[in-house]
Structures are given as structure tokens and as C-alpha cells.
Amino acid sequence: MKILGTGSVLPKKIVTNEDLSKFLDTSDEWITTRTGIRQRHVISDEYIEDLGAEAALKALEMSGKSLEDIDLFICSNVVNEYITPSLACVISEKIGLKCSCFDINCACPGFLFALDIAETYYRAGRVKNVLIVCADEPTRMCDWSDRSTCVLFGDGAGAVVLGEGDNILATKTHSQPAVDKLWEKRVIEPTPYITKTETNVPLQMKGRDVFKFAVSASTTEVVDLLDSIGMKKDDVSYYVVHQANMRIIDAIKNFLNEPECKFPTNIADHGNSSSASCAILLDECNRKGLFKEGDILVFSAFGAGLLSAAAILRW
Ligand code: COA
């Protein structure tokens, strides 16, 4: 497939590190040096489906495709106000889309899992045009009195429209199950028959373990995927890496021995917006005109599961 259009939307509320230090035992200095994050956009009176719908319409407008052209809509999301129907259905109704649609819950690498699914449908001859929306509000999952998690996240939505082409050169998804590294539990109403123990638990994270997994999975997958299609690091124009922590991005860059100019980032302004992260970064770079035709983009993302994924695209 080929990316025909991109779009993204952020919540209007900006929360700076200074704002957080007013109610948390933290500081701008700690957050900036340990994560590279200076501020994040946080959901307040918006609904994540509205952000997702707006991002979808922006991507559609850029793509030149109409709603009727879209054969499949994949929505990446971890949590939203509906348990059912899927967020994909909610967004479809908002924008008037009538094709087959479904959600995937693959946490932060969700954009790359969606890209992999879209390409697989395309290669099977079942679709021509696919809409992907990554809409996530991880700030709704955190315990806002836990300084080790809530400072890391921001919310937002990113979208792409994919059409006919041969620009997706390779995709790879990976799972290394380890639930206890990053998880949250939500409990719905008990039934008269529930005898087991169930409790709501906000987002829990073993930060150092996730950090190590992220660097190791990303570097291994990028090297292997490039190798699988006979490409070298010199062929790569840009690495679009999940914006989880600037130190993770720096470690990946150092391991790959690649220059900083190949790693566009927006983490300082947005924090970690889960699966929306890569899609938003892609849209921002695209709208700034960073990518030139023929550029090779390498994507890499990692997160809860533990899941990770990589993709190589010719722009
Ligand atoms: N402000 C001030 N101090 C903080 C803090 C905050 N926001 N968060 C944690 N600390 C403290 C800890 O309590 C600890 O204090 P102690 O030494 O007195 O016990 C100290 O800082 C060091 O904590 P540690 O967890 O070892 O720090 P770290 O350098 O590993 O950084 C993360 C923590 C979370 C920033 C880092 O592990 C990380 O980014 N991991 C990956 C997380 C991630 O990206 N998750 C999403 C993946 S999609």
C-alpha cells in the first residue's frame, strides 16, 4: 500500500511539568532529564472519539479519497468511554463511514500492528483503501498521584489513509508476553455469580524493565527488518520511533550508531500518547514537508504486552 493522507488532533489542554509539580513530588528538572518531556496535551472536556473522527477527516481530505472509497477502517485504542461497540463503530457513525471496521488493542505499537493488518488485507486482494485511526487517552489510565507513571503520558489521535501502491516494503510484529510489566485493570459491575476477587487497579509499570525491553526489541527488529529486504542503515532517511522517553530514543539511536537528524521527535511537547504517538509524529513531519519522495522511513514502536513492531516504508 501507499500512504495517501495523514491527520492528527491533540486535546487543547496543555499540562506542563511545572503544573504537575504543583500537586506531585516532582520537578521540571527530573521529568526533563529522565524523559525529555516538557509538556503534554491532556483530555479534559473533549471525547477521544471526537479527536479520532477529526483526525480521520483530515487524513481523508489530504488523501483525496471519499468515505465511499474506504474499504476497511482499523481503529487502534486501549481505552475509551464505550466497552461496546468498538471505537471504530463510534467514529464511523460520527463521520458517516459505512465500511467494515474493528478495533485493535495492541497498546503503543498499535499503529504498526494496524499497518501490518492493512497491508495483509491489501496483499490478499480484499481491500484497496484503508483508514487507520489511532486514538488514545492514556492519561485516563494513570493514577494521578503516582509520579512514576502519570508524568509520562499525553493524549491524542493520529490517522492515515492508505491506498494502492507498493510503498510498504516490510512489516513485523512481535510479542514477548509479560503482563506484569505494564498493566491496568478495570472492573465492570459484578454479577450475582461472581465469587472471584476483582478490583480496579490504575496503570502499573515496571519502568526499568519496559525501558530495557523497548531498546532491545526496537534495535533488534529494525536491524532484522532492514536485513530481510536487503537494506542497510545508510538507505534509511528517517526513524519514526514511538515517543515514550527521549532516553529510549537516544539509546536506540546510539545502538544503531545513526545521527540525531534521522530521528524526528515531538516527545517534548506531547509525552507518550500510546498508539497515537507514531501516527501523530508522522502527520506532523508530513505537514512540515520533512519527507521527500523516495525517502525510506523506518518505524519502530513497543509497549504493554509486551508487544513491539517495526515497518519500513518508501515515501
Ligand atoms: N519525579 C521525581 N522523582 C521520581 C519521579 C518523578 N516523576 N518518578 C520516579 N521518581 C523517583 C523514584 O521514586 C526513584 O526514587 P528513589 O531512588 O528514591 O526510589 C528515582 O526517581 C529513580 O526511579 P527510577 O524508576 O529508577 O527512574 P528511571 O531513571 O528508571 O526513570 C522512568 C523512570 C519511568 C522514566 C523510566 O524507567 C522509563 O521511562 N521507563 C520506560 C517507561 C515507558 O516508556 N513506558 C511506556 C512504554 S510504551
Side-chain angles (χ1 to χ4, degrees):
M1 302 196 90
K2 177 183 183 170
I3 292 182
L4 305 176
T6 62
S8 63
V9 180
L10 297 160
K12 62 183 177 308
K13 174 84 185 156
I14 293 175
V15 176
T16 64
N17 294 345
E18 206 59 53
D19 294 332
L20 294 177
S21 65
K22 288 182 187 138
F23 63 92
L24 277 175
D25 181 15
T26 189
S27 64
D28 177 49
E29 202 267 333
W30 193 96
I31 302 171
T32 308
T33 50
R34 298 290 181 116
T35 72
I37 300 166
R38 293 188 181 278
Q39 61 169 49
R40 68 287 291 144
H41 291 250
V42 173
I43 284 271
S44 54
D45 61 358
E46 304 99 338
Y47 291 91
I48 194 70
E49 57 261 35
D50 291 328
L51 303 188
E54 200 182 329
L57 292 175
K58 284 185 175 180
L60 275 161
E61 187 185 9
M62 187 190 283
S63 74
K65 296 288 177 190
S66 67
L67 290 168
E68 292 71 34
D69 294 327
I70 303 298
D71 307 306
L72 177 69
F73 168 26
I74 308 168
C75 183
S76 167
N77 169 258
V78 174
V79 66
N80 69 85
E81 65 181 311
Y82 289 92
I83 288 172
T84 193
S86 67
L87 187 58
C89 287
V90 177
I91 293 175
S92 288
E93 186 173 57
K94 274 189 183 296
I95 64 176
L97 188 63
K98 295 201 171 64
C99 65
S100 167
C101 67
F102 55 85
D103 282 4
I104 58 167
N105 179 343
C106 301
C108 301
F111 174 58
L112 302 183
F113 275 74
L115 210 62
D116 180 63
I117 297 167
E119 177 72 1
T120 305
Y121 267 72
Y122 178 73
R123 286 185 188 229
R126 295 188 55 188
V127 297
K128 283 191 176 145
N129 301 302
V130 177
L131 170 67
I132 296 174
V133 173
C134 301
D136 268 318
E137 47 181 3
T139 68
R140 302 297 301 277
M141 301 165 67
C142 300
D143 171 356
W144 279 79
S145 64
D146 176 5
R147 64 180 184 173
S148 67
T149 53
C150 74
V151 304
L152 302 174
F153 296 96
D155 306 316
V160 298
V161 171
L162 297 153
E164 292 177 88
D166 56 4
N167 296 59
I168 297 183
L169 306 179
T171 55
K172 173 103 179 106
T173 59
H174 177 73
S175 168
Q176 188 175 303
V179 175
D180 70 320
K181 306 291 187 209
L182 185 51
W183 58 279
E184 182 199 356
K185 274 190 185 177
R186 281 197 174 177
V187 177
I188 50 177
E189 285 300 302
T191 75
Y193 306 105
I194 291 295
T195 51
K196 60 201 172 187
T197 309
E198 290 182 336
T199 32
N200 283 301
V201 185
L203 194 76
Q204 304 293 308
M205 183 177 69
K206 295 191 171 150
R208 287 188 174 191
D209 292 351
V210 176
F211 192 112
K212 282 186 210 148
F213 166 76
V215 176
S216 143
S218 173
T219 49
T220 308
E221 278 158 31
V222 165
V223 169
D224 286 355
L225 206 57
L226 282 170
D227 200 38
S228 74
I229 56 169
M231 278 195 163
K232 308 222 170 317
K233 285 185 292 174
D234 286 351
D235 299 318
V236 179
S237 315
Y238 296 103
Y239 294 91
V240 182
V241 176
H242 174 43
Q243 304 288 292
N245 182 326
M246 198 58 218
R247 281 162 54 221
I248 294 179
I249 300 168
D250 282 341
I252 294 168
K253 181 189 74 193
N254 293 340
F255 184 89
L256 294 172
N257 196 21
E258 285 282 64
E260 196 171 323
C261 59
K262 285 192 180 183
F263 289 78
T265 63
N266 61 13
I267 186 164
D269 294 330
H270 300 342
N272 178 349
S273 54
S274 189
S275 73
S277 152
C278 279
I280 293 172
L281 180 60
L282 175 69
D283 180 53
E284 289 182 351
C285 293
N286 185 21
R287 283 175 194 267
K288 278 185 208 147
L290 183 67
F291 307 138
K292 303 285 172 280
E293 196 176 337
D295 274 353
I296 297 297
L297 311 188
V298 173
F299 292 80
S300 173
F302 32 78
L306 296 165
L307 296 179
S308 55
I312 304 175
L313 239 98
R314 184 184 298 108
W315 192 251

